[in-house]
């Protein structure tokens, strides 16, 4: 199952849960969950639930291995420094790994929405790659810059979605930004001290 059933009482909830930005954030969360050498299928399923997927989500270690391979390809988009690099990577992924754009309502159980996977019941890795490529492509189109980044902290490999106007974020969190700022201050302070002793 690769979709969310329609919520009848709040029809706009479906749109919010499946907005381009939410789908891109889900991509980042899944890439981070799949970054471990041996990600736990239950943990990956929890991330899917956090972003609106419904049970049953029965991921096998084989499913997760395929999703890890898709995540490695998608991580290249987050590593791009400029919109041109992100676009080139997405164009390659779209050409090599997705089907033609199509609309589906999953047999009438959801509002009509676009898909790039080959089938409504495509394997998890194909679904992850196709849905992520679509969301990230729209973000590049909309903002004319990479849709996200890999944290600039050398000790962190977390990917995150950049959003809003103003300067782009370099770090995944305030904690990483603060840690790097403190480390830079200590380095500059330790360089200055020997000069003061002389």
């Amino acid at each position: 199952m690769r979709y969310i059933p329609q919520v009848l009482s709040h029809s706009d909830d479906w749109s919010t849960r499946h907005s381009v930005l939410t789908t891109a954030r889900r991509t980042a969360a899944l890439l981070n969950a799949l970054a471990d050498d041996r990600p736990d299928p239950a943990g990956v399923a929890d991330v899917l639930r956090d972003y609106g997927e419904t049970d049953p989500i029965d991921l096998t270690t084989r499913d997760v291995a395929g999703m890890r391979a898709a995540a490695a390809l998608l991580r290249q988009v987050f590593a791009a420094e400029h919109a041109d690099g992100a676009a080139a990577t997405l164009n390659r992924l779209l050409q090599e790994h997705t089907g033609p754009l199509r609309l589906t309502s999953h047999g009438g159980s959801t509002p009509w929405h676009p898909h790039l996977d080959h089938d409504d019941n495509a394997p998890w890795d194909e679904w992850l790659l196709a849905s992520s490529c679509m969301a990230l492509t729209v973000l590049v189109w909309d903002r004319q810059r990479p849709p996200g980044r890999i944290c600039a902290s050398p000790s962190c490999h977390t990917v995150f979605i950049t959003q809003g106007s103003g300067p782009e974020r370099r770090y995944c969190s305030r904690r990483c930004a603060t840690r790097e700022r403190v480390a830079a201050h200590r380095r500059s302070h330790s360089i200055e001290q020997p000069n003061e002793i002389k």
Side-chain angles (χ1 to χ4, degrees), residues 13-171:
D13 285 353
W14 192 93
S15 296
T16 301
R17 285 182 304 187
H18 296 281
S19 71
V20 170
L21 189 54
T22 300
T23 301
R25 286 179 177 144
R26 181 197 66 207
T27 296
L30 284 168
L31 267 59
N32 293 327
L34 293 161
D36 293 336
D37 287 337
R38 291 183 152 181
D40 177 27
V44 176
D46 286 343
V47 173
L48 290 166
R49 284 185 198 96
D50 288 346
Y51 284 87
E53 290 294 325
T54 56
D55 284 312
I57 301 174
D58 300 316
L59 293 175
T60 65
T61 52
R62 186 176 179 172
D63 292 330
V64 171
M67 291 175 79
R68 253 186 114 236
L73 294 172
L74 290 164
R75 192 171 271 274
Q76 297 170 23
V77 178
F78 289 83
E81 290 294 322
H82 305 287
D84 290 352
T89 301
L90 283 164
N91 281 338
R92 182 177 45 79
L93 294 176
L94 288 164
Q95 183 176 14
E96 295 174 3
H97 299 283
T98 65
L101 182 65
R102 63 188 175 83
L103 287 167
T104 183
S105 67
H106 298 281
S109 63
T110 69
W112 287 99
H113 59 283
H115 267 239
L116 284 173
D117 47 5
H118 291 92
D119 184 88
D120 282 356
N121 292 313
W124 284 103
D125 57 331
E126 183 181 330
W127 167 82
L128 172 60
L129 194 54
S131 63
S132 298
C133 280
M134 185 177 326
L136 298 175
T137 296
V138 171
L139 290 182
V140 171
W141 171 23
D142 185 48
R143 297 178 184 164
Q144 296 297 303
R145 63 183 189 191
R149 294 282 182 208
I150 299 173
C151 185
S153 173
S155 61
C156 181
H157 302 288
T158 299
V159 299
F160 60 94
I161 298 299
T162 55
Q163 57 185 327
S165 58
E168 283 191 63
R169 287 173 41 201
R170 294 183 56 229
Y171 299 100

